[in-house]
């Protein structure tokens, strides 16, 4: 199947949504609360309208799973999985670290992923079986090991104050056994950075398909490894993810297993 037409359209729309986000950052915008902590801004909604609207025009027969609206399902073979703005808390606070994330699932398999980081003008993309790239240059995960010399990334769920699955114990265990952990606030970029070799490993819990679908393909296509916390094969519909350069994966799984058995 020729994936290039999907990739070209996804890249074009990701750049358009990214330009909108760049223009609106640090401007007064409408912000609503989804929950006590969880926000949504007018820019999340406008970006989703741009992305889904644009794809619907080009590919009217496709299905859509996106964060801010329910588009139903027509049982199509092709489904776009979209986070229009990953890193909403950052965006709402004027912290310039957020991204557009788009993936295309065909017959249940993620075949294409695009992540655009507007403030760095970096466009990460991957097609299954064809490798991953950043602004046209091939991407590869880092050659770094062991865990003690590695830089990791993670995040915490919005309901971490009220739910026991809050990642706090895992965070403490990892912090004692690696070089450092970054909590930058955009899971899609954490995964893109694993693919680019800028971060050696990433884990998180309670993520949604739109947070990870594009990033998981990027990591796999850049030569990394992605599993569930127990080492089982990972699906984007499983909320517990570990992604790494492969070399530190077993060490990461061992730490997560200790946490699960505590
Ligand atoms: C969030 C970010 C964050 C992660 C949260 C996600 P949003 O997505 O990816 O890094 O820790 O769990 O919900 O709400 O900014 O699209
Ligand atoms: Ca997200
Ligand atoms: Ca989002």
């Amino acid at each position: 199947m020729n994936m290039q037409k999907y990739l070209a359209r996804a890249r074009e729309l990701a750049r358009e949504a990214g330009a909108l986000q760049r223009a609106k950052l640090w401007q007064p915008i409408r912000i609503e609360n989804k929950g006590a902590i969880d926000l949504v801004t007018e820019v999340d909604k406008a970006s989703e309208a741009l992305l889904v609207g644009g794809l619907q025009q080009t590919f009217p027969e496709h299905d859509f799973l996106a964060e801010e609206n329910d588009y139903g399902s027509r049982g199509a073979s092709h489904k776009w999985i979209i986070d229009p703005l990953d890193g909403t808390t950052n965006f709402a606070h004027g912290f310039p670290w957020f991204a557009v994330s788009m993936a295309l699932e065909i017959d249940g398999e993620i075949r294409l992923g695009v992540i655009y980081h507007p403030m760095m003008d970096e466009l990460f993309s991957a097609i299954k079986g064809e490798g991953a790239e950043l602004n046209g240059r091939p991407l590869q995960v880092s050659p770094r090991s062991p865990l003690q010399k590695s830089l990791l990334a993670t995040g915490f769920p919005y309901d971490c104050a009220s739910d026991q699955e809050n990642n706090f114990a895992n965070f403490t265990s990892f912090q004692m056994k690696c070089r450092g952990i970054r909590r930058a606030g955009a899971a899609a970029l954490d995964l893109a950075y694993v693919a680019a070799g800028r971060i050696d490993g990433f884990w998180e819990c309670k993520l949604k398909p739109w947070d990870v679908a594009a990033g998981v393909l990027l990591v796999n296509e850049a030569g990394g490894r992605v599993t569930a916390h127990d080492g089982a094969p990972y699906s984007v519909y499983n909320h517990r993810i570990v992604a790494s350069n492969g070399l530190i994966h077993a060490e990461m799984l061992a730490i997560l297993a200790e946490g699960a058995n505590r």
Side-chain angles (χ1 to χ4, degrees):
M1 186 181 299
N2 180 6
M3 300 294 294
Q4 290 301 329
K5 66 175 175 182
Y6 302 128
L7 180 59
R9 189 67 177 127
R11 278 180 171 157
E12 180 180 49
L13 289 166
R15 285 190 182 282
E16 273 180 44
L20 172 81
Q21 294 170 9
R22 253 191 325 260
K24 290 285 186 178
L25 182 69
W26 302 315
Q27 302 297 320
I29 50 162
R30 266 195 320 281
I31 302 176
E32 295 159 36
N33 273 77
K34 281 185 178 175
I37 309 276
D38 197 358
L39 305 172
V40 60
T41 76
E42 63 177 274
V43 181
D44 295 66
K45 293 179 181 175
S47 300
E48 183 165 312
L50 188 157
L51 296 167
V52 174
L55 288 169
Q56 275 171 335
Q57 257 180 8
T58 318
F59 308 115
E61 67 285 8
H62 290 184
D63 271 342
F64 294 88
L65 174 65
E67 182 169 13
E68 309 303 343
N69 289 285
D70 183 353
Y71 299 91
S73 167
R74 51 176 69 194
S77 55
H78 291 51
K79 178 165 76 183
W80 291 89
I81 305 178
I82 296 175
D83 192 337
L85 201 173
D86 185 51
T88 296
T89 306
N90 287 344
F91 188 87
H93 285 257
F95 186 93
W97 194 261
F98 49 86
V100 176
S101 178
M102 310 168 78
L104 178 60
E105 185 187 86
I106 305 179
D107 295 327
E109 185 179 53
I110 307 293
R111 298 279 300 275
L112 176 153
V114 167
I115 294 175
Y116 182 54
H117 188 179
M119 305 311 288
M120 299 281 280
D121 191 23
E122 288 194 321
L123 196 142
F124 302 83
S125 64
I127 291 178
K128 187 162 171 98
E130 296 183 23
E133 53 180 64
L134 163 55
N135 290 351
R137 293 190 312 277
L139 281 186
Q140 216 171 3
V141 294
S142 74
R144 200 166 288 109
S145 69
L147 186 61
Q148 203 192 21
K149 293 185 176 164
S150 298
L151 185 62
L152 304 182
T154 192
F156 302 95
Y158 286 116
D159 62 358
C160 62
S162 56
D163 192 280
Q164 294 235 316
E165 186 166 7
N166 52 29
N167 201 23
F168 296 166
N170 288 333
F171 183 86
T172 310
S173 307
F174 275 116
Q175 181 65 42
M176 290 190 287
K177 291 186 176 131
C178 71
R179 179 165 282 157
I181 306 177
R182 300 292 174 259
R183 196 292 190 237
L189 287 178
D190 292 333
L191 286 163
Y193 270 43
V194 173
R198 298 169 180 175
I199 290 279
D200 308 303
F202 164 75
W203 86 97
E204 199 164 334
C205 58
K206 299 182 98 173
L207 289 177
K208 299 289 194 330
W210 46 77
D211 297 315
V212 295
V216 165
L217 184 64
L218 277 162
V219 172
N220 282 324
E221 289 297 320
R225 185 168 171 211
V226 184
T227 68
H229 283 196
D230 59 3
Y234 182 73
S235 141
V236 300
Y237 301 98
N238 176 327
H239 69 257
R240 297 191 188 108
I241 185 172
V242 199
S244 78
N245 62 8
L247 302 174
I248 60 168
H249 210 85
E251 283 183 278
M252 292 188 74
L253 290 179
I255 289 177
L256 292 167
E258 276 169 31
N261 295 329
R262 249 194 302 268

